[in-house]
Amino acid sequence: MSTSLPRIVDAFAGLHVLVIGESMLDCYLQGSTSRLCPEAPVPIVDFGARSEQPGGAANSAFNALCLGAEVSFLSVVGDDPEGESVVRQLARRGIDPADVLSQRGRRTLAKQRVLAGSQLLLRLDSGDTGPISPEVEDRLVDRLVGLWRRCDAAVVSDYGYGVLSPRVIGKLGELQSDLPRILVVDSKRLALYRDASPTAVKPNCREALRLLDVPGPSSASERVDWMAARGARILDISGARIASVTLDSEGALVFERDRPAYRTFAKADRDSRVAGAGDTFAATIALALAAGAETPAAADLASAASAVVIGKEGTATCSAAELRDRVSPAGKSLADRAELADCVAGHRRLGRRIVFTNGCFDILHRGHISYLSRAKALGDVLIVGVNSDEGIRRLKGPTRPINALEDRLQVLSALSCVDHVIPFDEPTPHELIRVVRPDTFVKGGDYTRATLPEASLVEEFGGTVEILSFLADRSTTDIIARIRRAYGEGAGGADGHPPLGAAADTWADHAPALGGGNGV
């Protein structure tokens, strides 16, 4: 997380992504209604306008283009008016349709939605969903081999409608073995891609349950914890290094081998009628991973991009500029305690449960991210108190912090699980707790209720204390030690920055999830 999210978005512009899958034509028939049909109890829609947009895999390709990447799109359509419209819409939006193959006699997939105002009344689906012809399959495989060599990342958008045949999936596996790429698979048939060694898979909750071949929890409120316990199984079945299970308004759960689940919390600004948020998620996470982002950062970007399109209407996309704005830390950092009090009051009026934690967060690492994600899951709003530079020097010695307060605030603000950050200069966060009066106060490491100095104050205000275990082998001190071994004790002094000295560190530096009274 040393690279800010907006900078990762900037890196999309230098990438080439290949999208392969089923093209669709999304058609919207817009009208109004004020009466019922006399023949049957259905509304009469006075037709007003018709709009057409590329959907399915074509929407993933268009999202990648809007995010700044160079895009190659490999697909199959029919030789019909709908297929011609898909090709025309792609070209109009700046995607070269040269690799969109036409099959004679095949009907292009189309979804026609009838709306009255913002209300969806009916969807009509048409098109062939059987296998593509052997001749077209030959051409598709030949194009795939050529395009694979040029791409930095590939996105598979497989709706199970005939384009991704067993032979095409097998060729993907061969190419991935010979010339590994970032490969993100969005498919209703994820088990078929195990031998293709995907980098990441993106099932929604229903697809994950199908993959696990289980009915799932009886209550929607239980599904986050239920799914979190099955991440390793999803990775085993899919063969992926990363699995991101999207959970609609509850964000996404992201799994990696031998690492705790990470949860994203990006939400749309409003509810709307939108199609293709999953296409946006897949395109964004592929680009972020290809740009070198760590998995939590890539997942946060993908969730943020999806939240942007969910706030729109129709088959929507997210631009690079919109994504930068979405993940900008502006608005999360609180200047003083008066602003903090106003912020807390606003959340209280909306009935939100507030979680508070505090720490130094000098070099943000995976232990911190996991800890903060788990803390956020305990309520609705996570507020983080951050030790000032002078406060850290008093606690840890003259060579700390490594990163100045403003940098630490900005990096924390980029995390989707963090809602607000505020600095403090005192040895403990008691004064912040008096302002926030959190519903839950979170600390980590080997604390107990009896050894936590803030516990009695939190409970005096009616809150509860949660102590979370920390991750082994994740600590700021270890990171600093590795830098010192690699570059020498005096590294950093020549450019005016203080060297990484040997000042005594508290035990808190060895607790990657949380430190002592001075924080993380």
Side-chain angles (χ1 to χ4, degrees):
M1 293 297 297
S2 59
T3 301
S4 70
L5 298 187
R7 289 181 183 175
I8 296 171
V9 178
D10 292 341
F12 292 176
L15 299 173
H16 183 175
V17 62
L18 165 64
V19 179
I20 177 172
E22 284 98 0
S23 294
M24 300 180 191
L25 181 66
D26 282 346
C27 177
Y28 295 89
L29 304 175
Q30 187 74 50
S32 60
T33 184
S34 60
R35 54 203 173 101
L36 294 177
C37 176
E39 294 95 337
V42 296
I44 296 174
V45 178
D46 295 318
F47 177 69
R50 174 190 177 99
S51 63
E52 295 180 341
Q53 299 170 359
N59 188 46
S60 286
F62 190 35
N63 268 277
L65 183 74
C66 291
L67 288 167
E70 180 184 352
V71 176
S72 294
F73 182 46
L74 183 57
S75 188
V76 177
V77 296
D79 60 343
D80 55 4
E82 289 80 8
E84 293 172 0
S85 181
V86 168
V87 170
R88 188 167 56 250
Q89 296 292 337
L90 288 170
R92 183 179 299 168
R93 287 164 168 76
I95 295 177
D96 186 353
D99 297 305
V100 178
L101 309 179
S102 177
Q103 178 175 323
R104 180 174 299 176
R106 188 176 179 88
R107 295 184 305 145
T108 303
L109 295 163
K111 296 180 180 180
Q112 298 189 76
R113 296 171 172 89
V114 180
L115 301 106
S118 61
Q119 180 64 51
L120 177 64
L121 301 179
L122 177 69
R123 195 182 90 178
L124 299 173
D125 291 4
S126 61
D128 291 334
T129 59
I132 56 177
S133 68
E135 177 189 3
V136 171
E137 186 182 57
D138 288 342
R139 294 168 57 200
L140 187 75
V141 169
D142 288 343
R143 298 285 182 95
L144 174 59
V145 172
L147 293 171
W148 188 270
R149 296 189 181 99
R150 297 170 48 201
C151 74
D152 299 296
V155 176
V156 173
S157 183
D158 177 13
Y159 288 81
Y161 293 157
V163 171
L164 278 301
S165 65
R167 182 183 170 199
V168 174
I169 295 173
K171 179 55 69 174
L172 278 169
E174 293 175 17
L175 293 168
Q176 180 72 332
S177 177
D178 294 340
L179 294 169
R181 299 289 188 262
I182 296 296
L183 175 60
V184 174
V185 177
D186 184 5
S187 173
K188 298 178 180 179
R189 313 175 299 163
L190 285 177
L192 298 180
Y193 290 86
R194 178 180 173 81
D195 292 339
S197 301
T199 309
V201 294
K202 190 218 72 62
N204 59 31
C205 187
R206 185 181 298 108
E207 291 163 349
L209 292 175
R210 187 182 301 122
L211 184 69
L212 293 166
D213 194 25
V214 291
S218 57
S219 170
S221 63
E222 301 172 357
R223 68 177 183 172
V224 172
D225 291 339
W226 187 94
M227 195 66 71
R230 288 158 178 82
R233 179 62 177 156
I234 293 173
L235 294 172
D236 286 340
I237 298 173
S238 66
R241 177 168 64 87
I242 302 164
S244 181
V245 180
T246 53
L247 300 169
D248 303 319
S249 61
E250 294 169 302
L253 280 171
V254 185
F255 304 107
E256 286 186 274
R257 190 76 58 188
D258 300 322
R259 288 174 174 173
Y262 177 69
R263 185 177 172 189
T264 69
F265 292 88
K267 295 182 180 179
D269 294 326
R270 59 188 177 91
D271 294 328
S272 66
R273 169 190 53 80
V274 66
D279 303 326
T280 304
F281 191 101
T284 308
I285 198 169
L287 287 171
L289 292 171
E294 294 185 9
T295 302
D300 274 343
L301 284 170
S303 288
S306 298
V308 169
V309 303
I310 291 173
K312 299 181 179 182
E313 298 288 333
T315 306
T317 59
C318 174
S319 70
E322 288 173 316
L323 184 53
R324 286 190 201 94
D325 288 343
R326 184 80 189 193
V327 298
S328 169
K332 286 191 175 183
S333 187
L334 303 174
D336 53 39
R337 288 165 199 186
E339 188 175 1
L340 174 63
D342 289 342
C343 174
V344 169
H347 288 304
R348 295 283 188 215
R349 284 193 295 271
L350 295 172
R352 294 169 178 161
R353 290 184 55 81
I354 296 177
V355 180
F356 177 79
T357 190
N358 67 281
C360 299
F361 301 101
D362 192 1
I363 299 178
L364 198 69
H365 51 71
R366 184 176 294 274
H368 294 135
I369 295 168
S370 173
Y371 168 80
L372 292 169
S373 178
R374 288 184 290 158
K376 165 67 180 232
L378 297 174
D380 302 307
V381 177
L382 176 60
I383 299 175
V384 181
V386 184
N387 292 79
S388 68
D389 292 346
E390 183 56 37
I392 293 177
R393 278 190 284 272
R394 290 196 301 265
L395 293 164
K396 297 177 180 291
T399 62
R400 300 285 296 275
I402 302 300
N403 291 302
L405 176 64
E406 185 59 32
D407 292 336
R408 292 183 283 122
L409 292 175
Q410 289 210 19
V411 173
L412 282 168
S413 296
L415 297 175
S416 67
C417 57
V418 174
D419 295 289
H420 303 288
V421 294
I422 183 167
F424 69 100
D425 193 53
E426 299 87 352
T428 71
H430 279 73
E431 294 307 313
L432 290 182
I433 290 171
R434 295 182 194 281
V435 176
V436 176
R437 300 191 176 199
D439 296 284
T440 304
F441 176 61
V442 182
K443 296 293 278 186
D446 56 1
Y447 276 112
T448 64
R449 162 63 183 79
T451 61
L452 192 61
E454 297 89 351
S456 58
L457 180 61
V458 171
E459 292 168 349
E460 179 184 330
F461 292 126
T464 60
V465 175
E466 292 285 344
I467 299 173
L468 303 180
S469 61
F470 56 75
L471 300 178
D473 302 323
R474 297 286 188 276
S475 78
T476 299
T477 295
D478 287 345
I479 293 171
I480 293 173
R482 288 198 299 271
I483 294 172
R484 288 159 68 180
R485 287 195 297 271
Y487 299 103
E489 290 287 340
D495 61 0
H497 294 287
L500 298 174
D505 289 317
T506 68
W507 74 267
D509 279 322
H510 300 275
L514 192 69
N518 56 306
V520 178

